[in-house]
Amino acid sequence: MGFRKDFIWGAATASYQIEGAAYEDGKGLSIWDRFSHEPGKVFDGHTGDVACDHYHRYPDDVKLMKEIGLQAYRFSLSWPRLMPEGKGAVNQKGLDFYNRLIDELLKNDIRPFVTLFHWDFPAALQSLGAWENPDSVKWFEDYTALCARTFGDRVKDFITFNEPQCFIGLGYDVGVHAPGYQLPNSSLVPMSHHILKAHGTAVRALRSLVPEVRVGYAPCGDPCMPATNSPEDMEAARKAYFTVPEKGWTFNVAWWSDPALLGCYPESGLKHLEKYLPHGWQEDLKTIHQPLDFYGQNIYNGRYYKAADNEQGFEMLPLPVGFPKTAIQWPITPDALYWGPTFLYERYKTPFIMTENGLSAHDVVSLDGKVHDPNRQDFLNRYLLAYKRAAEDGADIRGYFHWSLMDNYEWAHGYKERFGLIHVDYETQQRTLKDSAYWYRSVIESNGEVL
Ligand code: NOJ
């Protein structure tokens, strides 16, 4: 038992969070280039202008990946680096950069997993209404086709969107991420529909342009876990996980997954939101619902639920006082990696890959020059044991990507949070493998047997 023989072990990053070179070699601006420079939006005014300078240091970074023993590396492409205006003209130097990176990975036997969109939306298209504009489907299709044609001879694993819940929820609903808007449902719901349609259109484009392609999707949504193993609590947790709430619906997993994987919007969501869907949405479901080779999920924590005698039939349990938390104050709930994949596989019946999981901790370089991060190792050990149990209990689990490869720009938190296996000194750009990176190597080498 344990993880399957061909299980994929990797780590993940995203373009704006690590690349830097924000104004170099013909790159266009993204909404994050703009937002991070607006006073008061990001912790201590941090920006991604330089970030980890990965744009220049990628060969050394690939060496470090090799040292950790990564089999796969998930990274995203910066749309405005490739198409400075988001559509039309192509920036050859941007293509060259990713070509060099991909070649370097392949030379080192590291399988590239490419995320097409991880939040750095072209600023020029924001001025045209971004995802609210129905043309966004075509913009994304053209951008996808460019990536497929350029990289598809060597990249076989593509992910369309990363966490639409967050770039729409935090960016256009709550307003704490770029572009910092607080829009009504009459804007947000059409946006969500266009993104889902762009996802389906991109899957089709990838299949027609990339021989032997494998396509996935990486949404999120904190799993709801049963407080006990009673059938009532299990049903309550399942219901809580997949019920679209009226408030905070943008963060729900089912709204963004059911159309893509089941070909319908969840009833609980339609009840409140159908009136905002664009005309002809039922027809679009055929485009949205495309077969996927894997269903990705980013999971960091979950909440416990029990059955309740109320209208919904479930109730969330408060966390006990002193419950363990990570540096960013997210609760440590290893069972999320059991219940999340278990419930998601039960519902969507699609091979599952954990596209992100990890924690931020207060990591420092010690006097001995090393970074001792026992908290990360303990966290990962617990979470991976739960993940392994989910596989042993029948979920078709294919891989795991640690977030993140290296410390990086944690969006509105700036560089305050350290999620990496590799410590980055942002003053010197010195990289140091943390103790957890060496431990992760032993996990990879043993295919999870050391857990
Ligand atoms: C979600 C996002 O995909 C990633 O960009 C972010 O840094 C991590 N999870 C941690 O918050």
Side-chain angles (χ1 to χ4, degrees), residues 125-312:
L125 297 181
Q126 182 61 49
S127 323
L128 301 180
W131 301 106
E132 202 172 344
N133 187 332
D135 291 348
S136 54
V137 177
K138 177 81 176 109
W139 303 334
F140 192 68
E141 183 182 8
D142 291 347
Y143 161 65
T144 301
L146 169 72
C147 301
R149 284 200 185 95
T150 316
F151 310 121
D153 56 336
R154 288 151 297 151
V155 176
K156 298 298 171 189
D157 299 280
F158 285 90
I159 291 165
T160 55
F161 286 96
N162 180 73
E163 295 193 357
Q165 284 90 346
C166 289
F167 72 82
I168 291 300
L170 298 173
Y172 296 87
D173 183 4
V174 185
V176 294
H177 276 193
Y181 295 166
Q182 292 181 322
L183 301 178
N185 280 343
S186 53
S187 292
L188 295 171
V189 176
M191 284 178 135
S192 71
H193 187 73
H194 296 145
I195 290 164
L196 284 162
K197 202 169 159 189
H199 159 83
T201 310
V203 177
R204 266 194 197 149
L206 287 163
R207 291 213 188 284
S208 75
L209 294 167
V210 181
E212 291 166 7
V213 74
R214 292 172 291 264
V215 194
Y217 177 35
C220 62
D222 296 343
C224 302
M225 310 176 290
T228 72
N229 279 341
S230 74
E232 293 77 18
D233 284 352
M234 296 251 244
E235 190 43 34
R238 197 182 274 116
K239 202 167 169 210
Y241 201 8
F242 298 113
T243 298
V244 183
E246 193 170 356
K247 263 185 111 134
W249 66 268
T250 49
F251 295 100
N252 178 263
V253 75
W255 180 261
W256 296 93
S257 301
D258 284 15
L261 288 118
L262 304 177
C264 55
Y265 277 105
E267 277 306 319
S268 54
L270 286 178
K271 200 163 91 191
H272 315 294
L273 306 173
E274 180 176 351
K275 55 179 174 289
Y276 304 111
L277 279 167
H279 182 73
W281 63 270
Q282 293 94 336
E283 266 307 291
D284 292 338
L285 286 167
K286 287 193 206 100
T287 307
I288 294 171
H289 184 207
Q290 296 296 318
L292 289 179
D293 299 287
F294 62 93
Y295 176 54
Q297 273 281 314
N298 301 345
I299 299 179
Y300 290 84
N301 57 76
R303 291 289 188 285
Y304 287 101
Y305 282 79
K306 65 171 190 183
D309 204 5
N310 57 24
E311 203 193 322
Q312 299 183 300

Side-chain angles (χ1 to χ4, degrees), residues 79-97:
W79 184 348
R81 193 181 292 289
L82 295 175
M83 299 175 102
E85 297 295 309
K87 60 188 177 106
V90 170
N91 177 28
Q92 185 57 45
K93 288 193 171 164
L95 297 177
D96 294 345
F97 165 64

Side-chain angles (χ1 to χ4, degrees), residues 17 118-119 162-163 298 300 330 356 403 410-411 419:
Q17 296 183 270
H118 197 132
W119 307 1
N162 180 73
E163 295 193 357
N298 301 345
Y300 290 84
W330 296 350
E356 279 184 32
W403 184 270
E410 178 57 20
W411 308 110
F419 276 92

Side-chain angles (χ1 to χ4, degrees), residues 430-445:
Q430 171 76 38
R431 273 79 160 138
T432 308
L433 259 62
K434 300 180 189 175
D435 288 354
S436 60
Y438 295 105
W439 174 81
Y440 189 47
R441 184 170 71 190
S442 71
V443 174
I444 297 173
E445 278 166 2

Side-chain angles (χ1 to χ4, degrees), residues 1-4 7 295 336-354 386-399:
M1 289 298 271
F3 293 113
R4 39 190 295 150
F7 191 85
Y295 176 54
L337 255 61
Y338 179 83
W339 289 111
T342 297
F343 281 152
L344 293 166
Y345 183 66
E346 175 187 271
R347 188 174 180 91
Y348 299 122
K349 300 180 178 54
T350 302
F352 184 93
I353 294 184
M354 185 66 51
Y387 195 39
K388 184 149 91 171
R389 258 195 307 124
E392 289 171 347
D393 284 356
D396 183 355
I397 285 172
R398 305 276 176 104

